[in-house]
Amino acid sequence: EKGGHRHWMSKEIAEQPGVLADAIAHYASEDAIKLPQDIDFSGIDRVVMIACGTAFYACQTAKYWFEKIARLPVEVDIASEFRYREPPIGPNTLAVFVSQSGETADTLAALRYCAGKARIASVVNVSESSIARESDIALPILAGTEIGVASTKAFTCQLTVLHLLALKAARDRGQIEPAIFGEMLRDLRALPGLINQALAVGPDIRETAFALSEAEDILFLGRGQMYPLALEGALKLKEISYIHAEGYASGELKHGPIALIDDSVPVIVMAPTDELFDKTVSNMQEVMARHGRIVLVTDADGAATAGNDTWRVLTMPTAPSQLAPILYAIPAQLLAYHTAIAKGTDVDQPRNLAKSVTVE
Ligand code: M6R
């Protein structure tokens, strides 16, 4: 039933090219995005996105896309904070709830708080779930059943659907030229092929992960849209390997966390060559000057420019910059997976965790 895989998590990681292709084909045609029910973003002036855990990091990533591509202000919050804050929500707000299970208690309570105040959309994996049923519009992510407690394919499918939603918002609001819109849809259709190439880097990642399994603390760094992925990489690693890990925005390092760095602390830097690459590299050099061991996750250009004195380089395929957070989720997942294997922990059923968190 695991299709030759040792764990559900590894099966679910490997399924990503296929399920992402399904989700893209479901929502995008050659030159348009079709939703089960239309959301007209021209009448929306604010988006709030609410979720927990990995789904929350998908929302944080999507904020970069909505604000940059669609020029639409987005507020992101964790459900357990949002629901008690009594945030003001107006009729021109779109409230988006993201949940794999569709049953997370805090996310559902936050949705109920918004009911009747705002238009409610949900991005869910389980279409028959409470969150899907109580939304005005439910957008399935089409990841198929996810069994491993550590969310993998649901995360990349959430990102993909949220990316499509951001493109739809940009189109509705007249913020994107039709030609660029078409090009971005083409880029998205090419993504499953790039994910396949990233999966092929698996053996290098496994070797790095075995070295990481000796560490007691690991930091993940990213800037811009790669910052939420640093948080996700750290969550994934601590969840299944029980190694203490933290994600930071690269630019925040010098405001405190750099005090942790010595030669026993591996630092994983998520840095595709985009317009922020040089800034991230200079943060990385600050770590190297303090003998931190760098794992640079980048593309061929980045490896050629900045890979020289690093401890390890993991080379990803070159991708359109807006899609890098989806692509770089693969090495984040595989690093966590292989580190857990090296430590001998229970990958699919980590201690103290449940797949669906239905308590508050
Ligand atoms: O079912 P949900 O997406 O609402 O679950 C939210 C979190 O509990 C979930 O993403 C959790 O953080 C995962 N175990 C992370 O891998």
Side-chain angles (χ1 to χ4, degrees):
E1 51 180 7
K2 295 187 194 127
H5 290 268
R6 215 169 126 195
H7 298 100
W8 290 110
M9 185 180 178
S10 107
K11 176 173 187 270
E12 289 161 1
I13 289 173
E15 280 170 354
Q16 290 174 106
V19 292
L20 288 183
D22 292 347
I24 295 161
H26 182 83
Y27 287 106
S29 67
E30 200 61 18
D31 55 2
I33 291 165
K34 330 154 269 179
L35 304 180
Q37 257 175 284
D38 192 39
I39 303 176
D40 181 1
F41 281 91
S42 59
I44 288 166
D45 53 27
R46 172 176 174 239
V47 176
V48 296
M49 302 183 99
I50 310 299
C52 302
T54 286
F56 169 67
Y57 299 137
C59 296
Q60 280 195 320
T61 311
K63 174 182 168 80
Y64 287 84
W65 294 329
F66 274 90
E67 296 197 340
K68 189 164 184 177
I69 308 170
R71 311 300 305 154
L72 188 55
V74 176
E75 189 192 334
V76 182
D77 207 350
I78 41 182
S80 58
E81 285 300 315
F82 178 87
R83 59 177 292 200
Y84 299 115
R85 268 198 301 125
E86 299 183 29
I89 303 287
N92 297 335
T93 300
L94 176 71
V96 181
F97 297 86
V98 181
S99 173
Q100 188 284 129
S101 62
E103 300 296 347
T104 299
D106 283 318
T107 310
L108 182 58
L111 182 153
R112 288 180 177 154
Y113 170 81
C114 291
K117 301 187 183 76
R119 187 109 191 263
I120 295 180
S122 60
V123 174
V124 287
N125 198 29
V126 181
S127 299
E128 314 74 45
S129 59
S130 308
I131 289 176
R133 269 187 280 111
E134 295 188 30
S135 306
D136 298 319
I137 305 153
L139 304 172
I141 60 169
L142 306 166
T145 310
E146 191 181 65
I147 293 171
V149 165
S151 186
T152 53
K153 61 176 179 170
F155 177 62
T156 48
C157 284
Q158 284 162 351
L159 287 173
T160 300
V161 172
L162 290 169
H163 185 76
L164 283 158
L165 216 50
L167 289 181
K168 167 91 169 68
R171 198 81 194 89
D172 289 355
R173 293 163 55 80
Q175 295 291 340
I176 190 168
E177 296 295 324
I180 308 279
F181 178 75
E183 199 183 305
M184 288 176 109
L185 287 181
R186 268 199 304 284
D187 285 348
L188 205 52
R189 272 192 286 273
L191 179 65
L194 296 176
I195 301 266
N196 257 321
Q197 292 177 41
L199 288 169
V201 184
D204 282 0
I205 300 177
R206 187 173 59 210
E207 205 197 299
T208 300
F210 272 62
L212 289 179
S213 67
E214 304 289 319
E216 281 180 21
D217 303 282
I218 298 181
L219 298 185
F220 284 76
L221 299 182
R223 197 181 263 273
Q225 56 170 4
M226 303 309 280
Y227 163 44
L229 188 67
L231 301 174
E232 165 64 4
L235 174 66
K236 210 98 296 175
L237 186 78
K238 69 185 131 190
E239 182 174 31
I240 60 171
S241 77
Y242 316 146
I243 295 177
H244 172 241
E246 299 296 335
Y248 284 101
S250 311
E252 269 297 293
L253 195 69
K254 57 174 92 48
H255 299 285
I258 200 162
L260 294 171
I261 302 293
D262 62 23
D263 60 6
S264 70
V265 181
V267 180
I268 297 164
V269 183
M270 298 289 186
T273 47
D274 56 15
E275 70 275 15
L276 301 173
F277 180 72
D278 293 345
K279 301 258 179 214
T280 303
V281 166
S282 81
N283 301 134
M284 182 179 100
Q285 282 157 349
E286 290 157 10
V287 172
M288 284 158 64
R290 285 152 188 92
H291 311 291
R293 286 185 293 162
I294 297 287
V295 179
L296 175 62
V297 190
T298 186
D299 45 38
D301 281 353
T305 336
N308 272 347
D309 299 319
T310 57
W311 180 44
R312 311 255 163 163
V313 180
L314 299 173
T315 310
M316 294 294 110
T318 301
S321 97
Q322 75 279 4
L323 299 180
I326 312 181
L327 184 66
Y328 283 56
I330 305 300
Q333 297 164 355
L334 288 173
L335 278 171
Y337 177 75
H338 290 299
T339 305
I341 298 289
K343 294 208 68 179
T345 51
D346 186 340
V347 171
D348 284 332
Q349 264 316 330
R351 67 188 182 198
N352 310 339
L353 289 173
K355 180 66 184 160
S356 177
V357 183
T358 51
V359 290
E360 299 183 349

